Amino acid sequence: MEIRVRQKEGMAILEVEGELDFSNVEQLQQEIQRRTEEVVEIDLQGLRFIDSSGVGMLLSQVRHLYKQGRTLRIVRIPDFIREDLDVIGFFQVLEALKTNPNA
Amino acid sequence: MGEVITGNGKILRAYGLEVSGCSLPAEQVGGDFFEFISCDERTVFAVIGDVMGKGFHAARLMETIRHMLRECIRINPHPLEVVRRLNRVGWDELRKCGAFATLCLLCYDGIAGRLSCVNAGHHPPLLLSDGKVKVARCRGVALGLLEDYLGSGVEEFFLADGDAVVLYTDGLVEACGPGEQRYGQERLKEIVRLQNGADADRMKQNILSDLETFTRGFSQKDDVTLVVMKVTGKAGERGGN
């Protein structure tokens, strides 16, 4: 997995490429936690594979940033990964967190 | 509650069903599981699930979830209530590990031929009837992601002799061949459709053979678990295994 970091008007954009799984999930988690910007955007356009450890980490970081009054935004999800996330209920959880960050 | 039938490669003949299932681990021990749990003389639960992560940690968490599942069925066997309760009692355990589990729970009444399905973030089952394949529509959020289970409710089907139900984990449809193309649900539906008339074990073997042909020995990242249930009569017409 490769992570490229870009900054734009108080926002950090992390472009993730390759495979995100249990073997490297901490690398992305540490990069998210290192950011101090109000909005952190995870760009998944270059992602080829994500396992359940990656999904769990992303959701826990969304929750973590919401609790701090910040936002973790996940964008440009490839269609085949979007389908997998949809099965798990990922987007329903994001909606629930928007209305109640403690959910 | 009567017998609990679990394990790898078992064939169950009871409740007017013939069931064959197996779990093929990837490189590391994963968190896939499947189980058949007797409820009463006419009702059996078939459950397939996948606990987040890999290795010993996921395997231990899976055992905890299985234990809780049997307890939840014992307390109140209504399928939706089982999943709601399981989410509630599993919440602490899963949150403590920052984990989640997907699960598809089927409850089959062998006298009425009624199949009730509740889903928590798992791939929905496929139903084969008269050579046609239908995908169950029931959906729901995986266990441990929200404090209250959120899903589309119970979906019911009435099965006749010869109808079959296929349960599987994401390792099957996400399996890749050398070209990194995925096996996918469409290919699975097609091979299931071609199994009309085959018995449950033969169906399972043929699906796995097709998967092997597709992957051409390419090593896989995730476990593959597959369960085929076929209706062979009414409950009570055949004995247990």
Side-chain angles (χ1 to χ4, degrees), chain B residues 224-240:
Chain B
V224 171
T225 298
L226 175 65
V227 178
V228 178
M229 298 166 53
K230 179 149 184 164
V231 180
T232 55
K234 291 226 182 290
E237 286 175 1
R238 299 179 72 158

Side-chain angles (χ1 to χ4, degrees), chain B residues 4-31:
Chain B
V4 175
I5 302 156
T6 182
N8 210 348
K10 288 267 176 71
I11 299 175
L12 159 73
R13 289 189 184 87
Y15 306 94
L17 289 175
E18 181 186 69
V19 188
S20 180
C22 71
S23 200
L24 310 173
E27 287 169 18
Q28 294 201 37
V29 179

Side-chain angles (χ1 to χ4, degrees), chain A:
Chain A
M1 178 184 63
E2 270 186 32
I3 307 167
R4 269 196 294 275
V5 183
R6 289 195 292 125
Q7 277 174 312
K8 195 174 118 186
E9 297 159 10
M11 176 170 83
I13 301 169
L14 309 186
E15 293 173 352
V16 183
E17 268 189 33
E19 300 182 349
L20 175 60
D21 62 23
F22 72 100
S23 69
N24 57 20
V25 76
E26 272 187 30
Q27 190 190 340
L28 180 57
Q29 179 168 322
Q30 282 170 7
E31 199 52 54
I32 294 169
Q33 288 180 348
R34 222 191 324 264
R35 310 314 310 177
T36 53
E37 292 84 352
E38 199 179 318
V39 177
V40 180
E41 195 171 270
I42 311 290
D43 183 335
L44 296 182
Q45 196 187 19
L47 194 68
R48 290 199 312 272
F49 174 79
I50 185 168
D51 76 352
S52 56
S53 308
V55 175
M57 183 277 290
L58 286 177
L59 285 175
S60 74
Q61 293 308 304
V62 168
R63 198 173 256 125
H64 186 64
L65 264 70
Y66 269 135
K67 280 184 183 165
Q68 294 177 343
R70 299 163 63 209
T71 305
L72 182 74
R73 206 182 283 154
I74 299 161
V75 300
R76 299 213 292 174
I77 306 170
D79 285 349
F80 67 99
I81 289 178
R82 181 174 285 279
E83 285 167 22
D84 298 340
L85 296 179
D86 196 34
V87 169
I88 293 165
F90 185 87
F91 302 105
Q92 284 173 275
V93 177
L94 291 187
E95 281 303 310
L97 285 172
K98 264 187 208 166
T99 50
N100 177 12
N102 295 315

Side-chain angles (χ1 to χ4, degrees), chain A residues 87, chain B residues 33-37 45-50 65 69 73 79 82-83 86 101-107 115-127 136-143 149 153 155 157 165-169 227 229:
Chain A
V87 169
Chain B
F33 70 95
F34 68 94
E35 191 150 0
F36 309 106
I37 302 172
F45 283 87
V47 188
I48 190 166
D50 186 0
I65 294 292
L69 171 69
I73 289 174
V82 170
V83 175
L86 185 60
T102 72
L103 179 128
C104 183
L105 180 132
L106 301 179
C107 177
L115 183 79
S116 307
C117 174
V118 181
N119 198 331
H122 202 87
H123 282 277
L126 304 182
L127 281 81
R137 285 176 302 186
C138 52
R139 296 282 190 278
V141 174
L143 306 174
Y149 167 71
E155 189 177 8
F157 305 92
V165 183
V166 177
L167 291 165
Y168 57 97
T169 52
V227 178
M229 298 166 53

